Amino acid sequence: MDKLQVKQRIAALSEEIRRHNYNYYVLSGPTISDYDFDMLLNELISLEKEFPEFTEPDSPTLHVGGAVTKDFVQVQHRYPMMSLGNTYSEDEILDFAERIRKLIGEGVEYVCELKFDGVAIGLTYRHGRLMQAVTRGDGIQGDDVTTNIRTIRSIPLKLHGSGYPDEFEIRGEIILPHESFEKINLQRAEDGDEPFANPRNAASGSIKMQDSAEVAKRHLDCFLYYLPGSGLPFTTHYESLAAARSWGFKVSEHAARCSTVEEIFEYLETWDRARYELPFDIDGIVIKVNDLRQQEMLGYTAKSPRWAIAYKFKAEQVATRLLSVVFQVGRTGAVTPVANLQPVQLAGTVVKRASLHNADVIASLDLRNGDTVFVEKGGEIIPKIVGVDLDARPAEAPPVVFISNCPECRTPLVRTEGEAAWYCPNESGCPPQIKGKLEHFISRKAMNIDSLGEGKIEILFDNGLVHHCADLYDLTSDQLIGLEKTYGSSDDKREKKISFREKTVTNILNGIEGSKQAGFERVLYALGIRFVGETVAKKLATHFGSVEKLKAAGFAELNEVEEIGEKIATSILAWFSEPLNLGLIDRLRASGLHFEMEASNEILLSNRFEGMTFVVSGVFENFSRDELKKTIELHGGKNVGSVSAKTTYLLAGANMGPEKRKKAEKLGVAIISEADFLGMIEA
Ligand code: IVH
């Protein structure tokens, strides 16, 4: 292909991918298989990599993410982002309609819409291109989250059709569909991270992540519902929704025009029932005056428009009996009280258990054994106990007492100042903690020893063969042959027997042997250091290169790594200060595990920076700090953490610490920008 053909191919691919995104994410009607779509996208990604000069500014590859935002910039809203008056009662809807009838004195038509339970967002388009995405913040100013929002595939980066204003803002809600929410929480459980309580929290956490490639993996979605400002080319709100739809936005099909309060009530009752069938959460309905001229006549109060109101659904509640409270110990040692309930139907499912979260929750409910409790499924996926029916309390019902010793190993529980949870501190002797850590160690994203899954770890543990992950590497075939365990009672149809025959044992030992190939970043993740998930482990491994360097790092050095804040740094320091953990590393190393990054087999791109040392600091426009550091190494240069007289260049991004700059100036170290740096490579 000559250059002109490349340019044309990039343009054609971009257009085609844009169309498929629209069909899939907005219309929910794909016309191409996932495989074929991926082929198109991969072709575009590699062409753009080879010919960056032809990359379109709104390329659909932006949806894949990659850019990193360290600090989100605060931006003032052109039109304040108000919220809506809330009501839970139909009477107040009658009052609302009556008030409007009096003020307007003529017939009023309403539009009823779903009230999406997510995070509000304002998108600004100029000449049909997405320029900026800002969160609500305090309503006056919010965070610029454009880079992250660009990864949402249902949000058009370039508009379709015509007739849109040169510049306009459109508002909507970022939501996380149930399917994505469940996947994220499964993954978090596997990684030992706290699950998100509900899709709204997950969406709100996701749009504030620093690495947009991670945001892309969350599969957020966005419904648009409002164009603020005057002078728009419409006479009604309903028309504006239709126009927005024609420009490529995802606008719900469930908006309905209503001429009477009875029609509004009908809409409300329909969705109060049908909401459980939607693939995402709604928490009510929104009622808006349709005519834009009438909206203008009604105007605003200090907080909200007078032309709209939100009706919030009551969380569905049922009463049932508390049968017992059990206490569970997790991999980290945190003890969670769980209520066993008389099974009861609630919001489309049968509820048998509810989490009581921690001791404070039990105390504030003043919970007694045998109580009749009210269970609610609000925004949270796990039902919660919201109250006790005091009239139904049996006489002299004994209070539910939070245990003071671990239910598994009897060790007295401890509670850290300021934390809600009680912990079992017996990390190396408490069975669920040991088994949990071992299960984490062998899990797919860690050492990936799948021949050991499904209860086999439990058999090894029960037979006293493994206690620490390092014990796995000492196992022999003789120890394993013949071990067995039966799960479930003999009259249970689901009874399952696991026995270690020769083939199983060979598989297990091969799996363990094979895991020795895992790179340092996986080993680091597998160790199960609190708050060191997969991404953090990768960042640490690349940054420090070896466990020795990581172990020697102090708080400030750790804190300097992308994504590592105070909480993670403190946890890493605590882990390495434990002699038992250091012994573990020695044993694993002796077994042949990698505690250093593999010597890079990448060929140097040039030796332009040979003998030079760089300090990379701040936030950059086109590359993450790690990408820049990698580039320096690929050109023969060296990276160091702090400026000294030996430093050749300080590569300075935005928001760089003033101390570094001062020091470089004092020592006469050249300070260069991202553009200078790119120029040096291209030269
Ligand atoms: S209209 C000035 N429509 O609910 C009014 N808001 O509690 C602009 N929301 O601030 C908002 N679904 O974040 C509107 N169909 C919908 C909505 C909706 C959800 C959110 C939005 C709003 C909040 C009010």
Side-chain angles (χ1 to χ4, degrees), residues 333-354:
V335 177
T336 313
V338 177
N340 284 321
L341 304 167
Q342 182 74 46
V344 63
Q345 188 80 27
L346 175 65
T349 51
V350 177
V351 174
K352 294 183 199 138
R353 283 147 69 86

Side-chain angles (χ1 to χ4, degrees), residues 80-86 112-121 136 171-175 223-228 237 241 252 255 282-288 300 303-305 307-310 312:
M81 225 186 207
M82 293 185 155
S83 61
L84 296 175
N86 270 338
C112 287
E113 295 172 21
L114 305 183
K115 184 170 172 343
F116 305 99
D117 195 7
V119 187
I121 194 82
R136 178 200 304 281
R171 290 186 180 163
E173 206 85 353
I174 308 287
I175 57 148
F223 280 103
L224 285 309
Y225 48 61
Y226 175 53
L227 282 95
H237 170 65
L241 292 181
S252 166
I282 60 171
D283 60 342
I285 66 161
V286 178
I287 306 151
K288 301 174 184 172
Y300 297 81
K303 279 194 263 160
S304 50
W307 44 262
I309 194 166
K312 297 249 253 179

Side-chain angles (χ1 to χ4, degrees), residues 91-200:
D91 278 350
E92 282 181 31
I93 294 180
L94 280 174
D95 294 346
F96 165 77
E98 184 55 23
R99 217 164 37 237
I100 287 177
R101 197 188 58 78
K102 277 193 189 142
L103 285 167
I104 298 284
E106 53 186 83
V108 177
E109 186 179 54
Y110 295 94
V111 176
C112 287
E113 295 172 21
L114 305 183
K115 184 170 172 343
F116 305 99
D117 195 7
V119 187
I121 194 82
L123 310 174
T124 300
Y125 285 78
R126 201 174 301 138
H127 304 305
R129 303 194 142 140
L130 174 64
M131 302 308 288
Q132 198 172 48
V134 183
T135 62
R136 178 200 304 281
D138 61 4
I140 304 297
Q141 51 179 18
D143 289 320
D144 181 335
V145 289
T146 315
T147 312
N148 286 346
I149 292 305
R150 285 204 167 107
T151 66
I152 301 177
R153 291 174 194 233
S154 57
I155 293 185
L157 302 173
K158 195 174 166 193
L159 298 184
H160 305 197
S162 58
Y164 41 78
D166 273 352
E167 180 164 345
F168 70 99
E169 186 184 339
I170 186 162
R171 290 186 180 163
E173 206 85 353
I174 308 287
I175 57 148
L176 189 67
H178 295 149
E179 196 185 335
S180 315
F181 173 70
E182 275 147 31
K183 276 195 194 138
I184 293 172
N185 267 355
L186 272 178
Q187 184 61 52
R188 288 178 78 82
E190 200 174 295
D191 292 350
D193 293 329
E194 191 73 18
F196 286 114
N198 54 48
R200 184 187 354 96

Side-chain angles (χ1 to χ4, degrees), residues 230-250:
S230 50
L232 294 163
F234 319 107
T235 52
T236 65
H237 170 65
Y238 199 73
E239 251 178 78
S240 74
L241 292 181
R245 195 176 289 123
S246 78
W247 300 333
F249 292 107
K250 187 160 182 164

